[in-house]
Structures are given as structure tokens and as C-alpha cells.
Amino acid sequence: MKKHKVNWQPKTFLAPTDGEVVTIDAVPDPVFSQKAMGDGFGIKPAQDKIYSPVSGTVTMIADTLHGIGLRTDDGEDILVHMGIDTVELKGEPFKVHVSTGDKITAGQELATMNRQLVQEKGKTRQLLSL
């Protein structure tokens, strides 16, 4: 994957869902807690709807629907990742409401995560946004 350099400035963005925010180092997956994918945070979601934290463009939707890549208008890449190890569920608990290339606005609904089904399948419901 080609990385591009961005002159990043601190900015405000929306939480992708309601729930309890946890620090990235407390997320129970070393890929995230050790910041291999970059800095971020976790949320223990209190609802199934997932919203865009930023305005920009949808750059990627995982084949298994558990992750959505976004690029802000100033070039910052954001990953909204739903659950831990949910790639193994092959998209079953997710409905994505956007497509790659779509222009989106902060607060727009991106997806729905069936939290009950995720839990029944033995996966962690924590949502990550990087």
C-alpha cells in the first residue's frame, strides 16, 4: 500500500456511534492497541447504527463489510472498523449504506452493525475508528 504524506493538523470529528469511548491501547486487538494501523480510539457501541465521523469520500469497503475507509477533503485517511475479529463473520452482521467513491458528510449513516448477532457469534462488539 502506497502511503502519502499529509500535513495533518488537529481537527474535530464526530463519534461514529453512541457508546463508551476507550483509549486505543485498551482495545483487545494488538493491531489496533499497538497502533500498527495508526492512532485512534475504540467505542463500546450503545446502538447498531454507524455514522461517518468526517466529511469526505468513501475509499474502501471491506469485502466482509466490517471496515469502511474514508478520506477527508484535506487528505486524511480514516478507517471505521466494526468489531474485533469480525472479518471471520464474512459480512453477516453488517449492512453498508454507502459505496466506494461516494461523497459523504460528517454524521451521515454509513452502516448498521447487528450487535446482538456479533455477540452471539462470540466476537467483540467494540467499534474502532482510526
Side-chain angles (χ1 to χ4, degrees):
M1 181 168 94
K2 182 181 176 187
K3 292 192 175 201
H4 60 282
K5 193 167 188 161
V6 176
N7 183 16
W8 188 83
Q9 297 294 320
K11 58 188 76 135
T12 301
F13 55 94
L14 304 177
T17 193
D18 291 336
E20 178 188 344
V21 176
V22 296
T23 61
I24 194 73
D25 60 333
V27 171
D29 183 326
V31 170
F32 296 105
S33 64
Q34 294 175 13
K35 301 182 184 180
M37 301 275 303
D39 207 348
F41 59 90
I43 295 178
K44 295 178 183 177
Q47 66 170 340
D48 290 355
K49 291 184 178 186
I50 309 301
Y51 301 94
S52 180
V54 296
S55 294
T57 304
V58 178
T59 58
M60 179 277 303
I61 298 171
D63 292 340
T64 53
L65 309 179
H66 73 288
I68 301 172
L70 309 172
R71 180 166 292 148
T72 65
D73 293 334
D74 63 352
E76 184 74 19
D77 288 318
I78 307 287
L79 172 65
V80 177
H81 187 278
M82 296 171 276
I84 302 295
D85 294 330
T86 50
V87 67
E88 298 169 6
L89 302 180
K90 300 180 181 168
E92 185 181 0
F94 307 108
K95 289 185 182 167
V96 176
H97 310 299
V98 294
S99 299
T100 301
D102 284 358
K103 293 284 188 184
I104 46 113
T105 58
Q108 179 176 336
E109 188 174 348
L110 295 177
T112 305
M113 175 175 65
N114 183 329
R115 295 176 303 133
Q116 182 176 343
L117 183 58
V118 171
Q119 187 168 358
E120 287 171 4
K121 298 285 185 172
K123 303 301 177 188
T124 303
R125 298 182 306 191
Q126 214 157 23
L127 169 89
L128 306 176
S129 180
L130 305 174

